[in-house]
Amino acid sequence: MGLPEGFVRMIEELGFAPFDGLAHTLAATPPEVSLRLNPAKYHDPLPPLESVAWGEHGFYLPGRPGFTFDPRLHQGVYYVQDAASMFIGYVARKLAAGVPVRWLDACAAPGGKTTAVAAVLPEGSVVVANEYVATRADILRENVAKWGNPHVGVLKGDTARFRKYKGVFDIVAADVPCSGEGMMRKDADAVGQWSPGLVELCAARQREIIANLWDALRPGGYFVYSTCTFNTVENEQMVDWMRREYGAVPVDVEVDPAWGICGGVGVDYPCYRFVPGVTRGEGLFMAVLKKPGNEPRQSKGSGKSAQGRQKASVGDWIDADAAVRLQVQDSSVLMLSMTEAAVGMPEELVPKTEIAVTKGKDYVPAQALALSDALRRDAFAVMRVDRLTALAYLRGEALSPEEGTPRGIVLLEYCGRPLGFVKNIGNRANNPYPDKWRIRSSIQDGFLPELPF
């Protein structure tokens, strides 16, 4: 793979020692493959794989298997994520320091960093994930639903919407759109689209996003800025701009020197660079900045479960210990987060999950309920399925119910974990799996790739 000459010249001119072998690494070596387990769903023995040093629940794989044909991916048992990107989870745990927080993930699709943060924040926290591009927002919503945390909400729209929410969030994270140099080893488009003009265009957009988000961060809160690119225009120079424009103060997050995470290029404040060939994973830059002031967190909720207006049977589908309330809106039943951090938030920001829809006089459970950590599993009859049947379900095919399976709504389980719902009408079980989520490819010649766990 040939790298753009201007890019190679740029990294050489920076004179940054960790970049000495970068061009060769990007052009001549394969990308790492890694995944992150969902601690709320994965309770089996840990896999016999090398762990990601900074990535809680993260593991490297020896190659890239056919993840699509593993039902556990679709159940949210794990998330396929680059190892460097898992660093956000480490940072999130450090910044929260055991206290429930309101976290805004402002450029969130496809959901890797959102789910990594949701997995490690203290109980009582809430995560709001926003994405501007509609198609990417749909993917984000799907991945968040599969992850299953009811205290993560998804919004779609421009970051300008957050200008009116003064001091609402304790931590704002922006993995901003960038020139993508850090993805050149795994994405040919990142190579083909690169130009100095793209770098400048991205930097202008990044300043706009930061300006849109800054007021939503409470004084004393943390702004986590990150890109997947190497140049200093979108990284150190952006941090310098935030320092001048807002008085932002770079914050040191202690890391183990053995991890090989590099510092900044030509700066004396803390920031974190992941460089392929030096650290295992793709390219990433991250800096944590504190907003001047010290305004306390606003919410003082109890985090206890509360129930709103609802169909009685729908309330029976929810775990009694879940910190949620239910709300009927048009033809949907929504599950709203009621954690300590969610209480007192503007209503439009509170995480909401559609868990049921009306069908005639009945309420039908939605796919997101099957995958939610708030599901009360004994509320439904259960049909256990093998891998081939699970894959047929994920392709949207009707299933043949086992003898003795009750009629009506049935919860499918694969490997002891919920997979989704079917409606058993006797001779077949109708499949309501969301069309946009369905597996489109078919298994050829009976080949089922195996994962090493």
Side-chain angles (χ1 to χ4, degrees), residues 268-284:
D268 58 3
Y269 52 75
C271 53
Y272 308 89
R273 280 184 172 272
F274 290 71
V275 181
V278 180
T279 47
R280 291 188 64 183
E282 304 313 302
L284 177 78

Side-chain angles (χ1 to χ4, degrees), residues 133-168:
V133 180
T135 53
R136 287 172 57 81
D138 288 341
I139 295 170
L140 171 65
R141 187 170 285 107
E142 176 184 345
N143 287 331
V144 166
K146 289 176 177 178
W147 195 252
N149 188 321
H151 310 300
V152 182
V154 176
L155 300 176
K156 178 182 68 177
D158 196 293
T159 52
R161 72 190 304 164
F162 295 104
R163 284 179 174 268
K164 65 181 179 181
Y165 299 112
K166 308 298 184 183
V168 168

Side-chain angles (χ1 to χ4, degrees), residues 395-412:
R395 285 196 296 269
E397 300 172 11
L399 305 183
S400 298
E402 299 175 347
E403 185 176 350
T405 302
R407 289 182 179 243
I409 301 298
V410 176
L411 178 67
L412 301 184

Side-chain angles (χ1 to χ4, degrees), residues 7 11 14 22 67 93 98 120 130 154 162 173 183 187 206 216 247 252 296 325 330 341 346 404 407 445 451:
F7 167 73
I11 60 175
L14 286 173
L22 178 59
F67 290 115
R93 187 181 287 281
V120 301
N130 184 76
V154 176
F162 295 104
M183 295 293 106
D187 185 354
Q206 290 154 9
D252 183 31
R325 66 181 175 90
D330 299 325
R407 289 182 179 243
D445 302 324
L451 273 74

